[in-house]
Amino acid sequence: MARTARFSFLHKILAAIAIIAAMDRLFLEGGAGSWIGGFALAWIGALLVTRPALRRRPSLAALAIAAGFAVVLAWEPGGLGWVLFWSALSIAALMPRAGGFDDAWRWSLRLTAHGLSGPLAPVLDLVRLARLRPRHGGRSASGLAVLLALPLAMTALFVALFASANPVIAQALARLRLPAFTELLFWAMLLVLLWPSLRPTRWATRAAALLPRADIALPGIPVPTLLLSLLSFNIVFAIQNGLDLAFLWSGAALPQGVTLADYAHRGAYPLIATALLAGLFVLVALRPGSPSAADPTIRRLVVLWVAQNLLLVASSILRTLDYVAAYSLTSFRIAALAWMGLVAIGLALICWRMLAGRSAAWLINANALMAALVLGTASLADLDASAAAWNVRHAREVGGRGVGLDLCYLADTGPSSLLALASLERRPLPPQLRDRVRHVRGQVMDDLVRRQSDWRSWTWRGQYRLETARRLLGRNPPAAAPAPPGVERNCDGALRPIAAEPPSLAASPASAPAADAVANAIASSTPPLTGAPSR
């Protein structure tokens, strides 16, 4: 009883108030910095203190994973890292009631119900607290509210009267600041975020009972129908893969009117959809233990078809790489390549499930684990920085085989492109290109310096980038040449004339030739933009 009293409802309220008070000072007065990782670790600590049931092995494992993502948030806060941290923390919070980790299919519903029931959790607990009948003749929460209503109301009335009569009291009350509506709304949002992990609703764990078993007995497809289907599928896929091998992989001449760009860039995503549809067909039609899955001919045809699908995915990856070579690399294209890799792994797991007789829960958990590994890696890596480094390394201006530099894209990525721009600036470049690179690098670096100057937006990754850039370029890197009067810079650092105001009726027509001369001089000294859209 003493242990239960120690970790009581009151302790959870105090823990929530402490975290909300800290977040109020940090978040509302500054940006998102490495302190978010500290907040995440404090949240984990509050759960360990107020919920002893989470100190057992299954919950501790999930909390350890959540702590790892908290370190990722401390390195560089990001949306993906936060989602993964919340998911691991919520799994730990629900684990005592769920009894253990069964399969990712059920846990996906538990996490969804946990998130949706979050806004109701504080309200439900408040209703329970008001209805609670205390022991040993004490007062309930509603009875305590009735008891305090009259004293508090009369005291407030007397204070208001004294304030109108005494200027000292009036000045003291004027210094008190009531919380603004936005602040109250922020507190409510934090309470909705924190409270379900301290006291999760039973809906979150009971929702999984509504799901059917992962191994669902579906109507079987007759063996002759399945044989004919797999034969025709393999023939059609063989034609597509043969064309890919002939034109995409070996570089044979295409028919007249078809360019390699059209052939390579058109089918990357439709082919991935085809592979996903094939995997779904195998899942539905070839359940382990069914007569069709035990037929040797069908098993060989399925293995051949899955192998053709893997070649199809490889061709989609090659198409995307060709697109990158023709234009440039972006974070979206890196994510697309990772997605294609996951599709290939999923197809191989589906085939292995049929051959080894594994359950549907095994297949779901295996795919969920692969996806978690990829997402966890993506939360730690900076895809924009990787794309910027690749584009600079393969740019045509530095002797690479890629396209021309898209400095506007590097400027848009912000601090992620700083180190790539710094390494580019150290290379032997034409004077005009070096000036443009310095302008873009200077803007990106100044923006990062501003962020790092405020401890609330300060991050470990930002400090690492800033120190590395200063080590490459010096403590005071050279700046770009100032723009002449009447001239401004594009997003890529190129000079252009400032758009003039529409001439008035009183304006002298003699000024037009002078403006044209300035524009022509700038145009002749500015290299043309190269490359194609990077998005």
Side-chain angles (χ1 to χ4, degrees):
M1 291 296 294
R3 185 178 180 85
T4 303
R6 182 181 176 188
F7 301 99
S8 62
F9 187 82
L10 178 61
H11 288 81
K12 295 175 182 178
I13 294 177
L14 294 177
I17 291 175
I19 295 177
I20 290 173
M23 282 290 289
D24 179 69
R25 296 295 302 274
L26 292 170
F27 189 80
L28 289 182
E29 296 181 9
S34 289
W35 60 267
I36 291 182
F39 161 72
L41 290 174
W43 191 354
I44 295 174
L47 288 182
L48 288 173
V49 170
T50 58
R51 296 190 61 190
L54 302 189
R55 301 174 192 173
R56 298 169 185 170
R57 184 173 298 178
S59 294
L60 280 178
L63 285 178
I65 296 174
F69 288 119
V71 174
V72 172
L73 292 173
W75 172 248
E76 179 75 14
L80 180 58
W82 177 259
V83 170
L84 295 175
F85 163 77
W86 179 88
S87 299
L89 188 81
S90 299
I91 289 174
L94 298 175
M95 190 70 75
R97 291 183 178 176
F101 192 91
D102 39 16
D103 60 71
W105 170 241
R106 296 181 180 278
W107 273 102
S108 63
L109 184 60
R110 290 188 184 108
L111 291 179
T112 302
H114 180 64
L116 294 177
S117 63
L120 298 176
V123 178
L124 294 176
D125 281 338
L126 187 62
V127 173
R128 293 191 191 101
L129 184 63
R131 294 178 178 178
L132 187 63
R133 296 296 179 185
R135 298 177 181 177
H136 309 297
R139 292 183 179 273
S140 64
S142 56
L144 186 62
V146 172
L147 175 68
L148 297 177
L150 181 61
L152 291 177
M154 293 302 297
T155 302
L157 178 60
F158 289 140
V159 169
L161 291 174
F162 286 141
S164 63
N166 192 326
V168 176
I169 297 177
Q171 290 180 4
L173 291 177
R175 297 190 188 98
L176 297 177
R177 185 185 68 86
L178 294 177
F181 174 75
T182 55
E183 199 169 9
L184 292 174
L185 183 62
F186 179 69
W187 294 350
M189 292 173 59
L190 279 180
L191 182 63
V192 166
L193 179 68
L194 291 169
W195 194 252
S197 63
L198 296 171
R199 284 182 56 84
T201 63
R202 298 190 179 275
W203 299 346
T205 49
R206 291 175 179 175
L210 302 176
L211 287 177
R213 294 182 302 106
D215 292 293
I216 305 174
L218 296 174
I221 300 177
V223 172
T225 303
L226 197 55
L227 278 172
L228 289 175
S229 300
L230 290 173
L231 281 172
S232 60
F233 294 166
N234 274 290
I235 292 173
V236 172
F237 275 62
I239 295 173
Q240 172 64 40
N241 284 322
L243 292 173
D244 283 345
L245 291 173
F247 300 128
L248 192 64
W249 292 88
S250 64
L254 287 164
Q256 187 176 4
V258 180
T259 65
L260 182 60
D262 292 336
Y263 186 86
H265 303 158
R266 185 173 178 178
Y269 299 110
L271 292 183
I272 288 296
T274 303
L276 289 173
L277 184 61
L280 179 62
F281 179 86
V282 174
L283 278 177
V284 173
L286 294 166
R287 186 172 53 88
S290 63
S292 56
D295 187 281
T297 305
I298 290 180
R299 290 164 70 92
R300 294 190 188 98
L301 288 174
V302 168
V303 172
L304 177 61
W305 191 36
V306 171
Q308 291 209 70
N309 275 279
L310 291 176
L311 180 57
L312 209 64
V313 174
S315 298
S316 299
I317 293 175
L318 183 60
R319 281 172 160 84
T320 305
L321 293 177
D322 287 342
Y323 195 85
V324 168
Y327 297 103
S328 60
L329 187 63
T330 64
S331 58
F332 176 79
R333 290 166 194 161
I334 297 176
L337 290 171
W339 164 246
M340 294 175 188
L342 277 177
V343 171
I345 293 174
L347 287 171
L349 290 174
I350 288 172
C351 186
W352 178 252
R353 180 221 178 188
M354 182 199 69
L355 296 176
R358 299 287 186 174
S359 64
W362 175 88
L363 180 64
I364 293 172
N365 289 342
N367 279 280
L369 178 60
M370 293 297 105
L373 291 176
V374 171
L375 292 176
T377 304
S379 69
L380 183 60
D382 189 342
L383 301 185
D384 283 325
S386 301
W390 192 94
N391 291 333
V392 167
R393 199 164 49 245
H394 295 83
R396 186 185 305 158
E397 289 84 349
V398 295
R401 296 183 178 180
V403 297
L405 277 170
D406 188 350
L407 290 176
C408 287
Y409 174 72
L410 296 180
D412 287 341
T413 57
S416 296
S417 63
L418 176 59
L419 296 185
L421 289 167
S423 65
L424 176 63
E425 190 175 344
R426 285 166 52 89
R427 293 176 178 240
L429 301 174
Q432 294 175 359
L433 178 59
R434 181 181 300 278
D435 185 67
R436 293 166 56 200
V437 171
R438 279 180 177 172
H439 172 75
V440 176
R441 188 267 308 156
Q443 285 191 325
V444 170
M445 196 168 183
D446 290 344
D447 179 43
L448 183 58
V449 168
R450 283 193 297 270
R451 297 186 190 183
Q452 294 297 108
S453 62
D454 186 355
W455 69 270
R456 295 179 180 85
S457 58
W458 184 92
T459 63
W460 287 105
R461 176 179 276 168
Q463 191 64 25
Y464 165 77
R465 284 174 174 158
L466 198 57
E467 292 299 326
T468 304
R470 287 170 174 167
R471 188 168 60 250
L472 293 174
L473 303 174
R475 303 301 297 182
N476 296 304
V487 176
E488 62 183 1
R489 290 187 182 269
N490 288 323
C491 58
D492 63 348
L495 297 172
R496 67 177 180 185
I498 298 176
E501 296 291 333
S504 62
L505 296 176
S508 172
S511 60
D516 293 339
V518 172
N520 292 332
I522 294 172
S524 63
S525 64
T526 302
L529 294 175
T530 58
S534 297
R535 301 190 182 280

